[in-house]
Each structure stands twice: as C-alpha cells, then as structure tokens.
C-alpha cells in the first residue's frame, strides 16, 4: 500500500491542487479576473488545440526546442566530459563555468536579437546558451564519478579504450548523463520561451506574453498549463526510458 502511495503521490498532489483551484474560484476566495476557474481554463485549452494558428505556433516552438536540445545535449556533455577527465582542465575551467552559470542570461537577450534577428536561429542559439553551462557541469560530474580504480584494473588486464568506455564509463555515468539531459530539456524550453517573448513574431512564448499584456487570463493559464504538461510528460518519458534500461540490465544479469 505504501509503495502505491509513493508512486502516485505526485498525481494525488496534482488532483488536490486542481480541486483547490476550482473550489477557490467558485467560492469567491480569489478574483476570477486574475485566476479563472480551472474548468474554464480547460475549455479554453480545448478550443486552442483546435485553432490552426495556435497549433502552428505550438509546432514552431516544439521545433525550436527539439533543435536546441539535440545540439546542447551532446555538446554540453561532451565538453563536460573532456573537462572532467582532466584534473588540470577542471581546475582551470571549473571556476569560470561556475561564474558564467551565476550570470542571468536573460539580460543578454537584446544582444542575441541584434546578432541573430528574431527568427528561428535566435531562439535556438539563446536556448543552447542558457542550457549549455548546466549541461557542462553535469558532464563534469559524470566524468568524475567514474571509479578510477576500476579503470586502472581494466587497463592492467588489457582492456581496450572502447571496452573501458562501454563497460566502466557508460554504466557509471549513465544516471548523471540522463539527469544532465533532463536539465538540458528544462532549460532549453525556458530559453526558447524567453526568446519568443522578446519580440518574436510567432511561437507559444509570444502568445503567453501577448495574452498577459491584454489580461486574457483564461488563454494565458491555458497556454501555461499546456507548456507545463508537455514539460512534465517529456521528463517522465526520459525517466521511464532510464528505468526500462536499468530493468533490462538487471534482467540480463
């Protein structure tokens, strides 16, 4: 019984929040002009998902997210792995990476706009820049999590570099790599939406910003719920794939 409660606790929490949202608006605890009823928001979302212009904006945003994610994942993890493998490189670049990570990248949006315009490329480049440093740090942590004693033992038994990477590095780093990719996804989505809000002609971010300015709260909350839902689904899919891989490895043993 406890196991089922733990497994479904996030879903139960979401249901409780949904009920609280709907109850608070129906009983007048909140201003419906600022927080419309959940059922009304869901009706608006259903209408938006039948609107071809909205679907075109959603498709563009998803394409920008996909391209940025496919770029920043391998790039950030690769750079992080190279730095993490070298103690000298880690000491040289580690403090710089942490410094760059602490700088809010959104303040550079005007520069990205001047350099790349307001089209597809600007959204992708900004999202990659926003997510890159997080993913690099995950790559460094993954590389440094590899047991050096196992690597030395494998080399002493004549294992090739490929065998060491496949049999030692990959299993040791897999959890941190997946976590890095999940962080890359979250920051990529954030970067694309922020870039779209800054003067983009199309995209979900532009619609969220416009509806907020016009105080169209049902449309605003509907689009935000859609983004949150898609983000959660994509993260859970990555988690499910990782769980299935772990289960298959345990079965093979």
């Amino acid at each position: 019984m406890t196991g089922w409660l733990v497994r479904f606790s996030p879903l139960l929490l979401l249901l409780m929040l949904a009920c609280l949202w709907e109850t608070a608006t129906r009983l007048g605890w909140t201003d419906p002009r600022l927080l419309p009823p959940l059922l009304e928001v869901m009706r608006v979302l259903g209408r938006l998902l039948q609107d071809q212009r909205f679907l075109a904006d959603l498709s563009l945003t998803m394409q920008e997210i996909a391209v940025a994610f496919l770029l920043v994942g391998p790039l950030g993890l690769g750079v992080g792995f190279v730095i993490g493998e070298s103690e000298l490189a880690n000491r040289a670049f580690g403090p710089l990476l942490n410094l760059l990570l602490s700088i809010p990248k959104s303040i550079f949006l005007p520069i990205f706009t001047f350099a790349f315009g307001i089209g597809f490329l600007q959204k992708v480049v900004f999202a990659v820049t926003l997510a890159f440093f997080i993913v690099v740090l995950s790559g460094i942590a993954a590389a440094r999590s590899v047991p050096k004693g196992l690597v030395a033992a494998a080399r002493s038994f004549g294992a090739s570099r490929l065998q060491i990477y496949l049999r030692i590095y990959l299993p040791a780093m897999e959890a941190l790599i997946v976590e890095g990719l999940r962080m890359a996804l979250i920051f990529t989505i954030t970067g694309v939406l922020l870039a779209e809000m800054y003067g983009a002609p199309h995209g979900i971010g532009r619609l969220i910003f416009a509806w907020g300015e016009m105080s169209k709260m049902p449309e605003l909350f509907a689009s935000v719920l859609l983004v949150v839902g898609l983000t959660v689904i994509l993260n859970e899919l990555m988690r499910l794939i990782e769980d299935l891989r772990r289960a298959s490895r345990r079965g093979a043993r």
Side-chain angles (χ1 to χ4, degrees), residues 19-220:
C19 292
L20 179 61
W21 179 352
E22 184 67 18
T23 302
T25 54
R26 297 298 180 184
L27 296 181
W29 298 347
T30 62
D31 189 343
R33 293 173 298 180
L34 298 177
L35 183 64
L38 178 59
L39 291 180
E40 180 184 349
V41 171
M42 297 305 294
R43 283 196 295 270
V44 171
L45 179 57
R47 175 171 54 81
L48 289 175
L49 291 176
Q50 298 176 13
D51 187 326
Q52 293 303 315
R53 290 176 298 178
F54 180 83
L55 292 177
D57 283 320
L58 176 61
S59 175
L60 176 62
T61 299
M62 296 301 291
Q63 291 174 41
E64 292 164 347
I65 291 170
V67 172
F69 177 73
L70 291 175
L71 288 174
V72 76
L75 178 63
L77 289 173
V79 171
F81 178 79
V82 171
I83 295 175
E85 273 282 83
S86 169
E87 190 64 36
L88 178 62
N90 190 47
R91 288 201 302 267
F93 294 106
L96 177 61
L97 287 170
N98 283 287
L99 175 63
L100 294 173
L101 183 63
S102 66
I103 299 174
K105 312 302 183 299
S106 57
I107 63 175
F108 297 108
L109 257 174
I111 298 175
F112 281 86
T113 301
F114 289 137
F116 302 104
I118 56 174
F120 191 96
L121 180 62
Q122 182 245 5
K123 314 303 181 297
V124 171
V125 173
F126 179 74
V128 168
T129 303
L130 187 68
F132 176 76
F133 300 101
I134 291 288
V135 183
V136 167
L137 292 179
S138 295
I140 293 174
R144 296 179 69 81
S145 69
V146 178
K148 303 302 180 184
L150 287 179
V151 175
R155 285 174 178 166
S156 67
F157 282 104
S160 66
R161 182 178 294 271
L162 180 61
Q163 288 175 323
I164 292 174
Y165 283 149
L166 293 178
R167 300 292 180 86
I168 299 177
Y169 273 78
L170 189 57
M173 298 191 306
E174 186 172 357
L176 288 172
I177 288 175
V178 172
E179 189 63 28
L181 290 175
R182 291 175 61 203
M183 294 297 294
L185 177 64
I186 294 171
F187 278 86
T188 297
I189 293 173
T190 303
V192 167
L193 293 177
L194 281 175
E196 287 182 343
M197 291 179 183
Y198 193 87
H202 303 288
I204 295 298
R206 177 191 67 87
L207 292 176
I208 291 174
F209 184 78
W211 284 329
E213 281 195 322
M214 293 184 290
S215 297
K216 291 188 174 182
M217 305 312 288
E219 288 82 358
L220 173 63

